[in-house]
Amino acid sequence: MTASTPTTVERLESADLHRHRDELLAVYTEVYEEQLETPFFSVPRYWDRLVAYASRDGFSAVAGRIEDQLIGYALGYALPQGSRWWSGLRDDVEPALLTEDGRRTFALNEIMVREAFRRRGYAKLLHDALLAGRPEERATLLVLPDNIPARSAYRLWGWYKLGRLQPFNDAPVYDAMVLDLK
Ligand SMILES: CC(C)(COP(=O)(O)OP(=O)(O)OC[C@H]1O[C@@H](n2cnc3c(N)ncnc32)[C@H](O)[C@@H]1OP(=O)(O)O)[C@@H](O)C(=O)NCCC(=O)NCCS
């Protein structure tokens, strides 16, 4: 299925983040309502992460709107040289796959669509808009093993699992996925 209602996909620069704070957090709060009590998923922690992502080189964000209403967004940044992204990996992976030179990997940190707008291709629209023209050779993201909608989407879009990864001590253990961009 493709997006059936006219949608605009707007690119947000890191400088725009604070201006869009309220609507970005409103969508996050709605989408992650059931996890907000967990410290890692709390709104202040989430906002701190967004601000940190936006300060990174290669930051990019796209926002999907229908009649000015934010229906979802996606964002990420380029892993810097010597990035610690892979340091929480829990599985043995060929070391050559884990070296970052600042140009190799785009980390897709967030992708979310409000529930009322799901299964209409909007996540795919945001995903493709975010990754279109990226100069990196691959992208990576973290997904919870029980997140069936997201895992199904990623598999359909060509992502594959590299191993299990815990990004922070109080974060869950995720599956680290990779997508070849070249
Ligand atoms: C994951 C998410 C972004 C998908 O958004 P979406 O707009 O519904 O996705 P799309 O419509 O582009 O769907 C793409 C494909 O994903 C798969 N998919 C999506 N939702 C699914 C579900 N509930 N069950 C099974 N497969 C699903 C399907 O293969 C779908 O293609 P199809 O509709 O042609 O069958 C959305 O469910 C979401 O915001 N979830 C909460 C936040 C989240 O978990 N983000 C990912 C963090 S890693």
Side-chain angles (χ1 to χ4, degrees):
M1 188 187 286
T2 54
S4 51
T5 315
T7 316
T8 58
V9 177
E10 170 194 10
R11 198 158 279 282
L12 303 182
E13 304 301 328
S14 49
D16 299 330
L17 204 70
H18 288 272
R19 191 157 46 85
H20 293 282
R21 180 181 186 277
D22 290 351
E23 60 177 356
L24 293 171
L25 292 184
V27 169
Y28 174 79
T29 302
E30 184 184 309
V31 168
Y32 285 91
E33 188 185 2
E34 287 172 16
Q35 284 108 302
L36 297 178
E37 298 297 312
T38 309
F40 179 75
F41 288 102
S42 71
V43 172
R45 285 280 297 277
Y46 176 69
W47 180 247
D48 288 348
R49 284 198 294 278
L50 280 199
V51 170
Y53 300 147
S55 72
R56 302 292 200 132
D57 285 344
F59 173 79
S60 181
V62 290
R65 294 185 191 282
I66 294 177
E67 292 170 351
D68 285 345
Q69 185 183 188
L70 186 64
I71 57 115
Y73 57 95
L75 56 88
Y77 68 92
L79 295 183
Q81 183 171 24
S83 169
R84 299 187 67 249
W85 175 271
W86 300 110
S87 59
L89 206 58
R90 295 284 190 87
D91 294 312
D92 287 336
V93 172
E94 194 187 323
L97 290 173
L98 310 180
T99 53
E100 297 300 337
D101 60 6
R103 296 183 305 275
R104 185 181 197 185
T105 310
F106 180 75
L108 197 171
N109 300 116
E110 299 290 344
I111 181 164
M112 67 188 79
V113 171
R114 294 174 56 200
E115 192 161 359
F117 299 94
R118 289 185 192 160
R119 295 308 288 268
R120 300 195 221 162
Y122 291 127
K124 170 81 169 133
L125 198 67
L126 293 168
H127 172 271
D128 290 356
L130 185 68
L131 297 179
R134 288 298 318 177
E136 295 82 10
E137 68 186 59
R138 64 181 186 173
T140 186
L141 61 75
L142 304 177
V143 60
L144 287 172
D146 63 358
N147 189 343
I148 304 301
R151 292 178 67 92
S152 308
Y154 298 146
R155 265 198 223 101
L156 187 69
W157 303 338
W159 293 77
Y160 55 91
K161 178 177 168 180
L162 205 63
R164 294 169 304 143
L165 190 152
Q166 186 179 26
F168 306 102
N169 286 340
D170 65 344
V173 177
Y174 292 87
D175 284 342
M177 313 282 290
V178 168
L179 176 71
D180 297 322
L181 296 177
K182 301 292 175 204

